[in-house]
Amino acid sequence: RKLMTINEIYAAVLALFAALTAGLVGSFALMKRMTLAGDAISHIALPGLGLGILFKVNPTLGGAVTLILGTILIWQLEKRTGIATETMIGVVFSTSLALGALITPKEDLIDVIFGGFAPLSTSSFLLGLLIALFIIWFIAKFKDKLIINLFSSDLGISTGINADRLNLYYLLIFSLTIILGLQFLGASLAGSLIIIPAAAARRFTEKFTPFLLTSALVSLAAVVAGLFVSRTYGLSLGPTVISAASFIFALSLFKRNA
């Protein structure tokens, strides 16, 4: 095998940071019962990815714009209509999927949906690293508020937590996490790295902090395994990573409940 170039190393390092953030954010998503929303939200990036390809700009940037706009739209619609977040995500997801399929050139559709391993420029790497560090900082700073709001919104309000604003913040962090995974997992699989490691980690522990750390470790292990296997055998990175995560989840099913 050829040695990795510095730009390929950038891509590999950013993939590991994306795994770390996905594991952390996924823990809260599982507790909020919105793990399936991860798969749906990732598809909101499709129209932006397609427009980026059409206008020959960075597709990930286009996907990021539609993801953030879609997230704010979901939050606003939830507030104005009172319809559950999961329902609004489903509506926006279906619309985005249809628009993305119409806009994206057919020859690029597979790459957009399933991603791949591509070298990163220094600027793209630094931007991605900054986003990952911001997500980690957010989880560390707001962990207690998120936990309180999870278990009792009334208790959260009584302690001065603005539940609506915190929900928006979390949805935006959720979207930023998906943006990190878009390039190497694609719109179809980026949400899966949020869902599966958290589900596997929950099998190993009931305590929240160990659950948070285990989810991050499972996600990192899946990406490390995916990077190694895909590079060794010439397989597509996105499906390989998610297959590795699924294998770890399958192993977790053999753990007996206490």
Side-chain angles (χ1 to χ4, degrees):
R1 297 195 305 269
K2 291 181 180 179
L3 292 175
M4 296 177 74
T5 66
I6 185 64
N7 298 100
E8 289 176 330
I9 292 172
Y10 284 159
V13 171
L14 193 58
L16 294 175
F17 271 96
L20 176 61
T21 58
L24 296 174
V25 172
S27 301
F28 289 97
L30 187 143
M31 298 301 293
K32 286 169 72 70
R33 300 180 184 276
M34 59 176 290
T35 47
L36 288 177
D39 191 43
I41 287 179
S42 65
H43 287 78
I44 297 173
L46 272 172
L49 292 168
L51 288 171
I53 292 169
L54 280 176
F55 292 103
K56 302 190 185 307
V57 297
N58 189 331
T60 304
L61 179 61
V65 170
T66 53
L67 256 177
I68 298 299
L69 291 176
T71 299
I72 295 171
L73 176 63
I74 288 166
W75 179 69
Q76 280 292 331
L77 288 173
E78 180 192 9
K79 279 185 65 179
R80 291 175 183 273
T81 64
I83 299 173
T85 303
E86 293 82 0
T87 304
M88 297 315 309
I89 288 171
V91 172
V92 177
F93 150 70
S94 301
T95 305
S96 300
L97 185 61
L99 289 173
L102 287 172
I103 293 169
T104 308
K106 289 183 179 179
E107 61 271 18
D108 297 306
L109 198 55
I110 294 298
D111 288 338
V112 165
I113 291 175
F114 295 112
F117 186 78
L120 282 181
S121 65
T122 302
S123 58
S124 295
F125 169 70
L126 291 175
L127 178 60
L129 186 61
L130 188 63
I131 292 172
L133 292 174
F134 176 73
I135 294 169
I136 295 168
W137 170 83
F138 175 87
I139 295 296
K141 182 173 177 60
F142 289 93
K143 183 184 79 168
D144 293 338
K145 290 184 177 181
L146 286 166
I147 292 171
I148 291 170
N149 201 51
L150 273 174
F151 290 104
S152 174
S153 57
D154 290 336
L155 178 60
I157 291 169
S158 69
T159 56
I161 295 173
N162 187 323
D164 283 338
R165 188 178 299 168
L166 188 63
N167 189 41
L168 173 62
Y169 290 165
Y170 179 75
L171 283 173
L172 289 172
I173 288 297
F174 198 99
S175 296
L176 286 175
T177 305
I178 288 173
I179 288 167
L180 283 179
L182 276 179
Q183 178 165 337
F184 71 98
L185 291 174
S188 181
L189 297 175
S192 301
L193 199 60
I194 292 176
I195 299 167
I196 301 173
R202 194 61 176 162
R203 294 284 304 162
F204 293 113
T205 179
E206 294 291 326
K207 296 180 179 179
F208 193 80
T209 298
F211 166 50
L212 202 67
L213 296 174
T214 304
S215 179
L217 287 173
V218 170
S219 187
L220 281 168
V223 170
V224 169
L227 283 168
F228 175 77
V229 173
S230 65
R231 186 167 173 82
T232 302
Y233 298 102
L235 301 174
S236 180
L237 179 60
T240 308
V241 167
I242 301 307
S243 296
S246 299
F247 178 72
I248 296 172
F249 175 72
L251 291 179
S252 75
L253 297 177
F254 290 98
K255 180 184 178 296
R256 293 183 179 180
N257 294 324

